[in-house]
Protein backbone atom coordinates (compact mmCIF):
# COMPACT_ATOMS: atom_id res chain seq x y z
CA UNK A 1 0.00 0.00 0.00
CA UNK A 2 1.46 3.35 -1.05
CA UNK A 3 1.83 5.98 1.60
CA UNK A 4 -0.06 9.22 1.29
CA UNK A 5 2.12 12.09 0.04
CA UNK A 6 4.76 9.84 -1.50
CA UNK A 7 6.03 11.16 -4.85
CA UNK A 8 7.10 9.14 -7.84
CA UNK A 9 10.67 9.31 -9.07
CA UNK A 10 9.62 11.46 -12.05
CA UNK A 11 7.89 13.95 -9.74
CA UNK A 12 10.97 14.15 -7.54
CA UNK A 13 13.20 14.88 -10.52
CA UNK A 14 10.73 17.50 -11.79
CA UNK A 15 10.84 19.20 -8.37
CA UNK A 16 14.61 19.00 -8.37
CA UNK A 17 14.74 20.61 -11.81
CA UNK A 18 12.50 23.46 -10.64
CA UNK A 19 14.62 24.05 -7.54
CA UNK A 20 17.83 23.93 -9.61
CA UNK A 21 16.50 26.74 -11.81
CA UNK A 22 15.98 28.94 -8.73
CA UNK A 23 19.70 28.94 -7.91
CA UNK A 24 21.38 32.30 -8.46
CA UNK A 25 24.88 31.69 -9.77
CA UNK A 26 27.48 34.34 -9.02
CA UNK A 27 29.59 35.80 -11.77
CA UNK A 28 33.27 34.91 -12.11
CA UNK A 29 34.48 38.30 -10.79
CA UNK A 30 32.51 37.98 -7.55
CA UNK A 31 33.66 34.40 -6.99
CA UNK A 32 37.29 35.41 -7.61
CA UNK A 33 37.09 38.32 -5.14
CA UNK A 34 35.47 36.19 -2.46
CA UNK A 35 38.00 33.40 -2.97
CA UNK A 36 40.94 35.79 -2.67
CA UNK A 37 39.45 37.36 0.46
CA UNK A 38 38.90 33.92 2.01
CA UNK A 39 42.47 32.82 1.29
CA UNK A 40 43.90 36.07 2.71
CA UNK A 41 41.82 35.79 5.89
CA UNK A 42 42.84 32.13 6.31
CA UNK A 43 46.54 32.96 5.93
CA UNK A 44 46.34 35.91 8.36
CA UNK A 45 44.49 33.83 10.95
CA UNK A 46 47.03 31.03 10.49
CA UNK A 47 49.86 33.47 11.17
CA UNK A 48 48.10 34.87 14.24
CA UNK A 49 47.50 31.38 15.63
CA UNK A 50 51.14 30.42 14.95
CA UNK A 51 52.38 33.52 16.81
CA UNK A 52 50.11 32.81 19.79
CA UNK A 53 51.27 29.20 19.81
CA UNK A 54 54.92 30.29 19.77
CA UNK A 55 54.40 32.80 22.60
CA UNK A 56 52.50 30.28 24.74
CA UNK A 57 55.10 27.56 24.08
CA UNK A 58 57.95 29.89 25.09
CA UNK A 59 56.01 30.96 28.18
CA UNK A 60 55.45 27.35 29.24
CA UNK A 61 59.14 26.57 28.64
CA UNK A 62 60.13 29.49 30.88
CA UNK A 63 57.71 28.35 33.60
CA UNK A 64 58.98 24.76 33.43
CA UNK A 65 62.61 25.88 33.85
CA UNK A 66 61.79 27.79 37.08
Amino acid sequence: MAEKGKKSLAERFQGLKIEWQKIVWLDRDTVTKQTVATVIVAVVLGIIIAVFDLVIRRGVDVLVKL
Side-chain angles (χ1 to χ4, degrees):
M1 181 173 187
E3 289 183 25
K4 203 174 197 182
K6 218 173 187 188
K7 295 182 180 181
S8 70
L9 189 58
E11 289 173 328
R12 288 178 187 245
F13 277 113
Q14 182 64 26
L16 183 62
K17 182 179 177 183
I18 291 169
E19 291 300 320
W20 189 263
Q21 291 171 349
K22 292 180 185 178
I23 297 173
V24 178
W25 298 101
L26 299 175
D27 59 303
R28 182 184 285 275
D29 189 45
T30 303
V31 172
T32 302
K33 287 178 183 177
Q34 290 180 354
T35 301
V36 169
T38 301
V39 169
I40 289 171
V41 168
V43 168
V44 169
L45 285 175
I47 292 170
I48 291 170
I49 291 170
V51 168
F52 278 140
D53 181 55
L54 180 66
V55 168
I56 291 170
R57 191 177 324 140
R58 299 284 179 169
V60 170
D61 287 343
V62 168
L63 290 175
V64 168
K65 288 182 182 179
L66 290 180

